[in-house]
Amino acid sequence: MRAAPTILHLDMDAFYASVEQASKPSLRGKAVIVGGLGPRGVVATASYEARRFGVHSAMPMGQARRLCPNGAYLIPRFSLYRQVSDVVMALLRELSPLVEPLSLDEAFVDLEAGGVAFDSGSARETGERLRADIRAATGLSGSVGLAGSKMLAKVASEEAKPAGLLLIEPGTERELLAPMSVRTLPGVGPATGEHLRRAGITTVGELAEAGEDELVRMVGRSAGAGLYRMALGLDDRPVVAERDAKSVSVEDTFDVDLHDRVRIRGEVQRLADRCVRRLRDSGHSGRTIVLKVRRYDFSTLTRSETLRGPTDDPAVVREAAARLLEGVDTTGGVRLLGVGVSGLADYTQEDLFAQSLAAEPDGADGTGGADVADRTGRTDRTDGAGGGAVAAGAAEAEAEGAHGAAEPPGEPEPAPERRWSAGSDVRHAVYGPGWVQGSGVGRVTVRFEQPGSEPGRVRTFRVDDPELEPSDPLPLVGDGPEGGPEGRP
């Protein structure tokens, strides 16, 4: 515990939804819900306007639509969120070498280590300056908490939301915490909170009064001792510079259970390719390939295979994932698939056997699969109920179909209908940049606007209009609106 509030916690306000509102002027001040739009999708982030209707993160999207039927429901645009996050994190690193990111929109900063704050006055000044710099660089707001410990700084930023700053003076911790709900404390979820409520403990003050021995009796030694320390406002954890990633992974939840084994294999191959792209983008390679399968009855299986050395070769990852799938029974249907790579390193150990075999067909005698498994360096295969650390990336799933077996020559098949997801970026040859409001029955509706412009016009096109193309997101803060032939769209 520090004698000065020099640990800062930044939490961007409704980050994904705020980015969408900033980039889509017609949505400013409106209810915006970001997440998976399919029947099994979940809410990733809801704007404060949507939260007034009871919508919150991790809620099933169907329930959110019932609560807020007139909200704007959009797919996540993670590439843009990462760009904005990079800008914010760069501002934090200007303050201190000790920055501990927790997610794209949240981080701790040790202000004392950066020499920018040593007391309450300088800490508050630094926090206010940071909020102003973030607003100028991104157009977004963030909430700042300042305290003598990480736990209290995080509590302070939560209390400061939205777009505020709260400084907790050392020595006032217990007085501030006492009336707060036990759910305020990190790690106290619904189950623990309910357990404490049944015991008559609903506030942090009551938690402290219960005493360590009673809490240990109720929830166990480790959890009880930790709860008691937090109730007293005690936390001596240091700010740790950002940790290395432990795994890179992707997963997709399907609107309808998959039963076709060929389709399932194709989806696994596609996920493997996406996973490798992320792996390479992060500058890593990995030794352990992980397959995650959630079946029709919600039972979740993971399978893993460890290679002799780290790789970022898509062929090697695809082969390993395919081998792992062979050991999973998918007869009843599959609702989710994921592929991950763990055991990360910043180098690759080229496996010449694996690379050469990537282009070879399996042996006609049926032993080719086992031969490949041996020569690619597989050393073990393990099962587990929760292994793999597969990240929740279903909301950014690409609309790609699985490739089946080659068809004999014949009449060319018509090009597949282009899919336009609500919220995705587009550009029209005449009207310029815009975003998809919705699509169906062969039509797509686009609103032509961009960050910094006035709310734009809405136009409808055929889904196969040759003048309409997908586009990269525009930066939130730039040189000004980009007008089309009609001026500002």
Side-chain angles (χ1 to χ4, degrees), residues 29 53 154 163 303 334 393 449 473:
F53 292 87
K154 185 172 175 62
R303 300 289 186 268
V334 170
E449 60 185 5

Side-chain angles (χ1 to χ4, degrees), residues 90-107:
L91 291 173
L92 297 183
R93 293 187 184 97
E94 291 177 5
L95 299 178
S96 172
L98 291 182
V99 176
E100 183 179 342
L102 304 179
S103 62
L104 290 177
D105 63 333
E106 187 180 0

Side-chain angles (χ1 to χ4, degrees), residues 430-433 448 450 453 457 481-489:
V430 176
Y431 302 111
F448 290 99
Q450 55 191 297
S453 75
R457 299 176 183 175
E482 174 189 342
E486 300 180 358
R488 179 175 291 176

Side-chain angles (χ1 to χ4, degrees), residues 240-441:
V240 180
E242 61 181 297
R243 302 178 175 89
D244 292 335
K246 295 182 178 180
S247 65
V248 173
S249 50
V250 295
E251 65 181 40
D252 280 353
T253 300
F254 305 101
D255 293 344
V256 178
D257 289 349
L258 304 185
H259 294 84
D260 182 359
R261 189 72 177 184
V262 173
R263 170 76 188 281
I264 294 171
R265 282 197 295 266
E267 292 293 340
V268 168
Q269 299 295 288
R270 182 176 63 82
L271 287 166
D273 288 341
R274 283 176 53 202
C275 183
V276 170
R277 286 199 295 271
R278 282 195 185 180
L279 190 69
R280 290 180 168 180
D281 288 346
S282 69
H284 290 96
S285 58
R287 294 186 64 223
T288 301
I289 315 303
V290 180
L291 175 72
K292 177 180 178 180
V293 180
R294 180 166 295 148
R295 298 188 291 191
Y296 69 98
D297 58 356
F298 286 90
S299 62
T300 302
L301 305 175
T302 60
R303 300 289 186 268
S304 65
E305 177 177 313
T306 300
L307 309 176
R308 281 200 300 263
T311 184
D312 64 355
D313 188 318
V316 174
V317 176
R318 283 196 301 268
E319 288 176 356
R323 287 194 298 275
L324 294 172
L325 179 63
E326 293 305 313
V328 178
D329 179 12
T330 60
T331 305
V334 170
R335 59 183 292 121
L336 177 146
L337 290 169
V339 174
V341 178
S342 60
L344 301 188
D346 56 4
Y347 66 95
T348 61
Q349 179 174 318
E350 299 297 336
D351 190 332
L352 299 180
F353 283 113
Q355 292 182 14
S356 64
L357 285 168
E360 294 180 9
D362 289 346
D365 60 358
T367 62
D371 187 46
V372 171
D374 290 339
R375 293 179 354 188
T376 52
R378 174 167 53 89
T379 58
D380 64 23
R381 177 175 297 179
T382 60
D383 297 347
V390 180
E396 58 174 325
E398 300 168 347
E400 300 175 6
H403 297 287
E407 296 290 337
E411 291 296 324
E413 294 185 2
E417 182 179 285
R418 287 192 291 182
R419 294 178 58 186
W420 303 97
S421 299
S424 56
D425 296 277
V426 296
R427 177 177 289 274
H428 192 274
V430 176
Y431 302 111
W435 59 279
V436 174
Q437 280 200 320
S439 63
V441 295

Side-chain angles (χ1 to χ4, degrees), residues 28-45:
R28 292 170 188 160
K30 306 289 181 61
V32 174
I33 300 94
V34 180
L37 302 185
R40 293 172 174 171
V42 296
V43 175
T45 304

Side-chain angles (χ1 to χ4, degrees), residues 167-245:
L167 184 149
I168 300 178
E169 291 283 0
T172 66
E173 297 92 348
R174 291 192 63 177
E175 180 182 355
L176 177 80
L177 289 172
M180 293 183 179
S181 165
V182 293
R183 293 288 306 278
T184 303
L185 299 178
V188 180
T192 302
E194 177 61 20
H195 186 60
L196 293 171
R197 187 196 65 78
R198 289 198 299 268
I201 299 175
T202 59
T203 68
V204 178
E206 292 168 346
L207 202 61
E209 292 174 3
E212 183 174 358
D213 291 342
E214 177 64 14
L215 293 177
V216 166
R217 185 189 66 79
M218 291 173 57
V219 297
R221 177 162 300 281
S222 178
L227 278 176
Y228 184 66
R229 284 182 57 81
M230 287 192 293
L232 298 179
L234 302 177
D235 178 21
D236 56 3
R237 294 172 300 155
V239 176
V240 180
E242 61 181 297
R243 302 178 175 89
D244 292 335

